[in-house]
Amino acid sequence: MSQTEFQIIQQHFADSEAAFSRPEIVRGIGDDAATLRIAPDQILSFSMDVLVADVHFPATADPELIANRALAVNLSDLAAVGAEPLCFTLGLTLPLVNEHWLAAFSQGLVPLARQYNCPLVGGDLSRGPLNIAIQVQGQGEAVIGRDGARDGDLIYVSACLGDSVLALASFGLDTHLGTDFKIDSATLSDQDRAYLNEAYYRPQPRIEFGRQLLNVASAAIDISDGLLGDLGHICNASAVGADLDLTALPLSDCLASHLPEALQQQAALLGGDDYELCVTVAPENAKQLEAIAGGLGLQLSRIGTIRDGYGINCRDSKGQLQEFDASAYQHFGESE
Ligand code: ADP
Ligand code: MG
C-alpha cells in the first residue's frame, strides 16, 4: 500500500466520524480484517449494493449526497429483512484523488451511520471509474423473507412511490421509463425541487419499521426496482399471485400535481429507487401492522391482496384490468 493510499484511508476513513466504535466491533479500520463479536442467539445478515457513476447516480452529483444515498440504499436492505444495523464496509474506486470530493463523501456517510449506530469498519480503495460498493452487516433474533406471503394476505407499502424516478426526470436525466416520461422543470417550485432532491438522494431506510415487522409480516421487500418488480419477487418466492388496487397507490402531492395519471401509475409501479417497504401480512395481523406504522408516524397504505395463482393483476377505479410492462429495471435485461 502506498503512502498516499494510507494517508487517504487514515484521513478520510479511519479518522472519519463515521468510523466510531461499538461493543461488537473487536477490530475496525486498520487491521487486515474487521472483526465482530456477536451474541450466540443473533442472526447475522449481510447485504451489498454496488453503485456505479452515471448508472446509479449522476457522476457530477454532490459527493455528500452520493455517500448518503449509497449508505441509505444498503441500510434499506437490512430494513427489509428486519435486521438491526451493526456496521458497514466500503469499497471505493476513484478515477483520481480529489481531496475535496473525498472529504465531502466521507462526511456524507456520517449522519446515517450515527442515526443507525452503524459504523464504518473497513473497506478497500483503488483507482478506477467512480464506483461505490457498500456492504452492511446487521443482526437480529429473526429475519423476514420474501417467501412467506400466503393466499389472503394483505399487501401494504410505506410512504409514497414514484418520487425518485420523477426526481431523475426533473434533473433532466433519462429514465428507464422512456422518453415520454418527462416533466417540464419550469413548472416546479423551489419547494418541489427540494422535495425531489431529498427523495432521490436521501431515501429513508425504514429500519425501525422493519425491526418491528418481525413476527408480524409474512414477507417484506424494499422497493429498489419498482413496486411491480419487487412485489413480483415476493410472489415468485412465495409461489402466489397478487391483486393490486391502482387507486390505492400512495402518491406524493408533488407527483400527483406534475404528472398525468397514466405516468403517475408508471412512476409508482415501475419507477424504482423508492426504498420503501412492501409488506404482506395475514389479515389477523393487519391491525398490529397498522399500529406499528402509526406509532412511527409512518404513512402506510393497503394496496392489494395476495392470492393463489400467478402474476400481478392491477385494477383501476372501474375495476378494469390494466396492463403494465413489468420488466422493472434490469441491468442485464434485453433492452441494454
Ligand atoms: P490490505 O492491503 O491489508 O488489504 P488496505 O491497504 O486495503 O489493507 O487497507 C488498510 C486498512 O484500511 C484496512 O483495515 C481496510 O479495511 C481499511 N480501508 C481501506 N480502504 C477503506 C475504505 N475505503 N474505507 C474504510 N476503510 C478502508
Ligand atoms: Mg485491501
Side-chain angles (χ1 to χ4, degrees):
M1 184 171 69
S2 77
Q3 181 69 0
T4 341
E5 269 174 46
F6 177 80
Q7 282 167 344
I8 293 168
I9 292 168
Q10 193 64 35
Q11 182 181 342
H12 296 292
F13 299 109
D15 289 346
S16 154
E17 270 178 72
F20 54 91
S21 69
R22 56 177 280 174
E24 294 87 346
I25 298 165
V26 181
R27 290 269 194 276
I29 296 176
D31 223 304
D32 289 309
T35 51
L36 303 176
R37 182 181 290 112
I38 59 164
D41 61 343
Q42 292 290 299
I43 297 170
L44 195 57
S45 299
F46 293 70
S47 181
M48 171 176 260
D49 272 303
V50 178
L51 282 80
V52 178
D54 289 331
V55 177
H56 299 98
F57 59 89
T60 53
D62 177 347
E64 196 162 346
L65 293 178
I66 296 173
N68 185 286
R69 186 167 191 278
L71 186 52
V73 306
N74 274 274
L75 288 167
S76 176
D77 284 314
L78 288 186
V81 299
E84 176 212 340
L86 196 48
C87 59
F88 73 101
T89 49
L90 168 69
L92 200 56
T93 60
L94 296 171
L96 47 91
V97 174
N98 175 330
E99 289 288 324
H100 293 294
W101 193 96
L102 274 165
F105 180 86
S106 121
Q107 196 53 39
L109 298 170
V110 175
L112 284 175
R114 284 275 178 209
Q115 181 178 353
Y116 294 109
N117 192 21
C118 184
L120 176 64
V121 295
D124 201 15
L125 186 66
S126 178
R127 192 180 291 270
L130 178 57
N131 190 316
I132 301 155
I134 288 183
Q135 185 179 54
V136 282
Q137 284 80 36
Q139 62 181 350
E141 58 280 8
V143 285
I144 313 163
R146 298 176 174 184
D147 58 352
R150 296 293 176 263
D151 179 47
D153 284 1
L154 307 178
I155 307 168
Y156 287 81
V157 70
S158 60
C160 294
L161 300 177
D163 289 332
S164 255
V165 73
L166 179 63
L168 279 180
S170 78
F171 301 156
L173 298 172
D174 289 340
T175 74
H176 64 284
L177 296 183
T179 47
D180 288 346
F181 190 84
K182 54 179 181 261
I183 178 172
D184 178 4
S185 307
T187 63
L188 291 168
S189 67
D190 287 349
Q191 201 183 345
D192 291 331
R193 282 175 209 281
Y195 174 80
L196 291 174
N197 208 51
E198 290 287 293
Y200 185 76
Y201 284 112
R202 296 193 203 278
Q204 299 293 312
R206 303 298 181 191
I207 293 290
E208 195 46 48
F209 184 47
R211 299 278 300 140
Q212 295 188 36
L213 294 179
L214 290 176
N215 306 317
V216 176
S218 54
I221 192 164
D222 74 319
I223 303 173
S224 52
D225 293 336
L227 176 66
L228 278 189
D230 289 317
L231 176 58
H233 292 316
I234 287 187
C235 288
N236 289 340
S238 303
V240 291
D243 293 318
L244 276 191
D245 173 3
L246 293 175
T247 65
L249 294 174
L251 307 175
S252 69
D253 291 344
C254 180
L255 185 137
S257 59
H258 284 100
L259 289 177
E261 195 178 354
L263 294 189
Q264 292 176 16
Q265 293 179 349
Q266 275 192 33
L269 294 171
L270 306 170
D273 284 341
D274 299 301
Y275 303 105
E276 295 301 336
L277 293 188
C278 176
V279 179
T280 65
V281 64
E284 59 270 26
N285 286 345
K287 283 272 164 300
Q288 199 183 345
L289 177 72
E290 289 175 14
I292 291 168
L296 294 168
L298 180 62
Q299 180 187 333
L300 186 69
S301 304
R302 183 178 154 191
I303 56 169
T305 313
I306 296 290
R307 57 169 164 74
D308 282 334
Y310 177 79
I312 301 174
N313 290 332
C314 299
R315 288 183 195 279
D316 64 16
S317 56
K318 301 191 187 77
Q320 302 279 328
L321 275 182
Q322 294 287 330
E323 292 290 327
F324 293 90
D325 179 7
S327 54
Y329 194 52
Q330 304 213 345
H331 291 281
F332 298 102
E334 282 169 16
S335 62
E336 290 207 8

